[in-house]
Amino acid sequence: MLVNKLGEFGLIERIKKTIKTDESVVKGIGDDCAVIKLDKYNYGLFTCDMLVESVDFKPQDEPYLIGRKAVAVSMSDIAACGGLPRYCLVSLGIPKDTSVDKIDKIFYGIRSLSRIFKTNIVGGDISSSPVLTIDVSMLGIVEKKRLVLRNGAARGDMIFVTGRLGDSISGRHLKFIPRIKEARFLVENFKVNAMIDISDGFAQDLGHILKESNVGAIIYEDLLPKYRKSTSLESMLYGGEDYELLFTLPIGEAKKLLSSKLSIFTPVGHITHNRFDLRLIDRKCRVKKIPFRGFRHF
Amino acid sequence: MLVNKLGEFGLIERIKKTIKTDESVVKGIGDDCAVIKLDKYNYGLFTCDMLVESVDFKPQDEPYLIGRKAVAVSMSDIAACGGLPRYCLVSLGIPKDTSVDKIDKIFYGIRSLSRIFKTNIVGGDISSSPVLTIDVSMLGIVEKKRLVLRNGAARGDMIFVTGRLGDSISGRHLKFIPRIKEARFLVENFKVNAMIDISDGFAQDLGHILKESNVGAIIYEDLLPKYRKSTSLESMLYGGEDYELLFTLPIGEAKKLLSSKLSIFTPVGHITHNRFDLRLIDRKCRVKKIPFRGFRHF
């Protein structure tokens, strides 16, 4: 069988089954970050993301933005667990005819975001490769009591997203600001039950929360925050790379957040019994079952 | 200018100059691992290595051995700093027509070594890529008092290597056992002044120690441990991927190690004033200046 047929998540499930970890690992494969014991008050968050030319960015994209995105996607994973990024390594696979100027610009992008979010670039690796490949691994930190995973969503929770959804792939995916500050505001002030970043599409990533938490959800088309007036429902539900936070709050906490009137957080639905799966209530008040579809590498 | 012209180490130097780190970073870019503050007694060791098909392994190499090597090279970096590997992430770039069976075998290789050295596989990333690419990032631990870097070699130190040198590229580079146990034996029982793993060739990697420590060295052709009877001096000095440890001990410690009669450790020369650079005394007692040459990606 080819990986094409098994699919990305099938492959991850298959790998996950073969792997055991010791008691120092709080959460291994299957969340935005791995969570490891660090000290009395803190956990370590460990994550990596590989960007490949012509898959995650185009050859003609600005090198500055490619570098920026390479760290931003890992920071977004740290944010989704409620933590702060601290250290990163950059592995670069570089075609031999690449200009030094291009590498300078990629690192300019990497440094710019690292500086904003106080993340130390501490090392990496350089290899030759037929296509430009950047893998950033990141180590972050989160207070034990503030860690948020995908598996805590409970019936009755309200579902929120940050920012706006859809049309990211037309350019925004290279320029987004990882929601570190928003995530910290949430975990420092609210009891967040579950959180994920929307990297593979709203429906698919909400699907991860539902599956891990063994619950269902209802969302409302009217509530979904469109990026542009012309943004389609299709693009909001299934478009990849929004890098917004998707999270659930118990109703009391949700009310508190709503009363803060911060326009960055939009309620989009609520968590239900798991037999509901994922349903959308559309403009005409029709209920539709929504597939957990989105971007997949295979 | 193309990266081809600047060269791998020129590129690393160039990147290094632009990067600042905070006081929690004990050692950033430029050693086998990054060293970060962890707690009162321990440092964290953070490293990554990217393997690319047709560069670091052949398409027809056994997938089990490819996976094994992918973790072994990072473990070798942790060993070179005197530490123990603890957690790793695996980023995979996979061509779409790869068989699931091949990925299974790669992970079988990854798991086999991880189990031996008690390293938790805690996550990773999967991307599609035109060539098979594996980037392993690893987090290890070392007691503060046992950390060894490249910069501690002192005049009068004896230089040692583990195992045997040369001819690794014909196959051994896929099967080597990272010298974790030997490194721990050394740092637990001796005062090791400087250490590195030989990944890019003996002369080049000894060059890194000399440069970082601002010293020179004399080595003896007769003492260099050949992998095979037929192994050439060229292959021992400049062949890449031996993954043996190269380290220096003050003379008293060296005597202690020599009296232990452990055949795995071979003395090959000693550290001198930096105006000596690197010199080889050959079979006919002629002194030759040796270039810091070895494997480079560009």
Side-chain angles (χ1 to χ4, degrees):
Chain A
M1 186 167 51
L2 301 184
V3 292
N4 241 346
K5 194 156 181 204
L6 182 61
E8 185 175 345
F9 297 111
L11 194 58
I12 294 171
E13 275 305 310
R14 193 181 173 97
I15 292 167
K16 193 176 156 183
K17 272 184 200 151
T18 65
I19 286 168
K20 283 179 191 144
T21 53
D22 67 31
E23 37 63 54
S24 71
V25 179
V26 178
K27 180 79 198 178
I29 297 172
D31 215 291
D32 288 84
C33 295
V35 184
I36 54 184
K37 289 182 185 168
L38 212 62
D39 59 39
K40 204 173 161 188
Y41 304 105
N42 300 288
Y43 288 134
L45 298 173
F46 198 13
T47 184
C48 63
D49 286 278
M50 182 180 272
L51 302 192
V52 180
E53 186 174 270
S54 300
V55 178
D56 301 287
F57 57 87
K58 295 185 201 117
Q60 67 271 26
D61 283 334
E62 271 182 59
Y64 167 82
L65 293 177
I66 297 170
R68 199 183 170 289
K69 178 176 179 180
V71 280
V73 293
S74 288
M75 286 176 172
S76 186
D77 283 329
I78 302 268
C81 293
L84 288 165
R86 292 292 288 126
Y87 308 100
C88 77
L89 300 174
V90 181
S91 279
L92 274 178
I94 312 176
K96 292 190 181 192
D97 61 353
T98 306
S99 74
V100 172
D101 180 58
K102 183 169 183 175
I103 304 299
D104 282 348
K105 285 176 178 158
I106 288 173
F107 265 90
Y108 181 43
I110 291 174
R111 287 200 314 275
S112 69
L113 262 196
S114 302
R115 198 170 298 139
I116 291 171
F117 293 107
K118 297 189 168 60
T119 307
N120 294 288
I121 303 160
V122 292
D125 189 29
I126 289 174
S127 184
S128 59
S129 170
V131 285
L132 183 60
T133 306
I134 314 181
D135 189 65
V136 170
S137 54
M138 199 169 279
L139 189 60
I141 193 165
V142 64
E143 304 87 343
K144 285 185 181 180
K145 60 180 180 183
R146 287 177 176 153
L147 172 69
V148 190
L149 296 175
R150 299 175 178 180
N151 63 9
R155 280 168 70 178
D157 279 6
M158 279 190 77
I159 304 168
F160 288 80
V161 294
T162 58
R164 305 190 156 268
L165 302 177
D167 295 345
S168 178
I169 220 67
S170 64
R172 208 156 34 102
H173 71 106
L174 287 168
K175 296 169 189 163
F176 74 95
I177 295 178
R179 298 291 190 188
I180 302 280
K181 283 182 186 167
E182 293 78 4
R184 291 299 294 175
F185 168 77
L186 289 170
V187 298
E188 285 171 8
N189 295 287
F190 298 87
K191 185 188 170 299
V192 185
N193 275 350
M195 189 148 67
I196 193 170
D197 73 326
I198 305 176
S199 52
D200 298 330
F202 174 87
Q204 188 155 276
D205 287 316
L206 179 52
H208 291 313
I209 287 187
L210 302 186
K211 199 182 150 206
E212 293 292 320
S213 306
N214 195 26
V215 290
I218 289 186
I219 53 169
Y220 301 85
E221 182 180 351
D222 257 349
L223 294 180
L224 290 171
K226 285 183 176 187
Y227 180 59
R228 277 192 274 252
K229 246 190 169 173
S230 63
T231 302
S232 67
L233 178 64
E234 176 82 13
S235 170
M236 282 192 287
L237 290 178
Y238 308 121
E241 313 236 336
D242 282 317
Y243 295 106
E244 295 294 348
L245 296 174
L246 170 57
F247 60 99
T248 83
L249 293 178
I251 194 73
E253 297 288 297
K255 281 183 184 164
K256 234 172 70 187
L257 181 60
L258 288 170
S259 71
S260 73
K261 296 197 173 142
L262 291 163
S263 62
I264 193 92
F265 304 109
T266 309
V268 296
H270 61 270
I271 297 291
T272 62
H273 192 283
N274 69 3
R275 69 170 175 265
F276 268 77
D277 297 315
L278 174 55
R279 293 184 197 213
L280 175 88
I281 299 189
D282 75 5
R283 292 257 150 81
K284 293 178 179 163
C285 290
R286 290 171 305 200
V287 182
K288 286 180 194 171
K289 205 164 158 180
I290 297 291
F292 298 145
R293 189 155 64 79
F295 179 78
R296 295 179 186 204
H297 275 99
F298 306 106
Chain B
M1 185 167 51
L2 301 184
V3 293
N4 242 346
K5 194 156 182 204
L6 182 61
E8 184 175 344
F9 297 113
L11 194 57
I12 294 172
E13 275 306 310
R14 191 179 172 97
I15 292 167
K16 193 176 157 184
K17 270 182 202 152
T18 64
I19 286 167
K20 282 179 192 144
T21 53
D22 67 31
E23 38 62 54
S24 71
V25 178
V26 178
K27 180 80 199 177
I29 296 172
D31 215 289
D32 288 84
C33 296
V35 184
I36 55 185
K37 289 182 186 169
L38 212 61
D39 58 39
K40 203 173 162 187
Y41 303 106
N42 300 289
Y43 288 134
L45 299 173
F46 198 15
T47 183
C48 64
D49 287 279
M50 181 180 273
L51 302 192
V52 181
E53 185 174 273
S54 300
V55 178
D56 301 286
F57 57 87
K58 295 184 201 120
Q60 67 271 26
D61 282 334
E62 271 182 60
Y64 167 81
L65 293 177
I66 297 169
R68 199 184 170 291
K69 178 176 179 179
V71 281
V73 293
S74 288
M75 286 178 172
S76 186
D77 284 328
I78 301 269
C81 293
L84 288 164
R86 292 291 288 125
Y87 308 99
C88 76
L89 300 174
V90 182
S91 279
L92 274 178
I94 312 176
K96 292 191 182 194
D97 61 352
T98 306
S99 73
V100 172
D101 180 58
K102 183 168 184 177
I103 304 298
D104 282 348
K105 285 175 179 158
I106 288 173
F107 265 91
Y108 181 44
I110 291 173
R111 287 201 312 275
S112 69
L113 261 197
S114 302
R115 198 170 297 138
I116 291 171
F117 292 108
K118 296 190 170 55
T119 307
N120 294 287
I121 302 159
V122 292
D125 190 30
I126 289 175
S127 183
S128 59
S129 169
V131 285
L132 183 61
T133 305
I134 314 181
D135 189 65
V136 170
S137 54
M138 199 169 279
L139 189 60
I141 193 166
V142 64
E143 305 86 344
K144 286 183 180 182
K145 60 181 180 183
R146 287 176 177 154
L147 172 70
V148 191
L149 296 176
R150 298 174 179 181
N151 63 7
R155 280 169 70 178
D157 279 7
M158 280 191 76
I159 303 168
F160 288 81
V161 294
T162 58
R164 305 192 155 267
L165 301 178
D167 295 346
S168 178
I169 220 68
S170 64
R172 207 156 35 103
H173 71 107
L174 287 168
K175 296 170 190 163
F176 74 95
I177 295 179
R179 296 292 191 189
I180 302 279
K181 283 182 185 166
E182 292 77 4
R184 290 300 295 175
F185 169 77
L186 290 170
V187 297
E188 285 171 8
N189 295 287
F190 298 87
K191 184 188 171 299
V192 184
N193 275 350
M195 188 149 65
I196 193 170
D197 73 326
I198 304 175
S199 52
D200 298 330
F202 174 87
Q204 186 155 277
D205 286 315
L206 179 53
H208 291 313
I209 286 186
L210 302 186
K211 199 182 150 208
E212 293 292 320
S213 306
N214 194 26
V215 290
I218 289 185
I219 52 168
Y220 302 86
E221 182 179 351
D222 257 349
L223 294 180
L224 291 171
K226 284 183 178 188
Y227 179 60
R228 278 191 272 252
K229 244 189 169 169
S230 62
T231 302
S232 67
L233 177 64
E234 176 82 12
S235 171
M236 282 191 288
L237 290 178
Y238 308 120
E241 312 236 336
D242 282 318
Y243 295 105
E244 295 294 349
L245 295 174
L246 170 57
F247 59 98
T248 84
L249 293 177
I251 195 72
E253 298 288 297
K255 279 182 184 165
K256 233 172 72 185
L257 181 61
L258 289 169
S259 71
S260 73
K261 293 193 176 150
L262 291 163
S263 62
I264 193 90
F265 303 108
T266 309
V268 296
H270 62 270
I271 297 292
T272 62
H273 192 284
N274 68 3
R275 68 170 175 266
F276 268 78
D277 297 314
L278 174 55
R279 294 185 196 212
L280 176 89
I281 299 190
D282 75 5
R283 292 258 150 79
K284 292 176 179 164
C285 289
R286 291 172 303 202
V287 181
K288 288 181 194 168
K289 205 164 158 178
I290 296 291
F292 298 144
R293 188 154 65 79
F295 178 78
R296 295 179 187 205
H297 275 98
F298 305 106

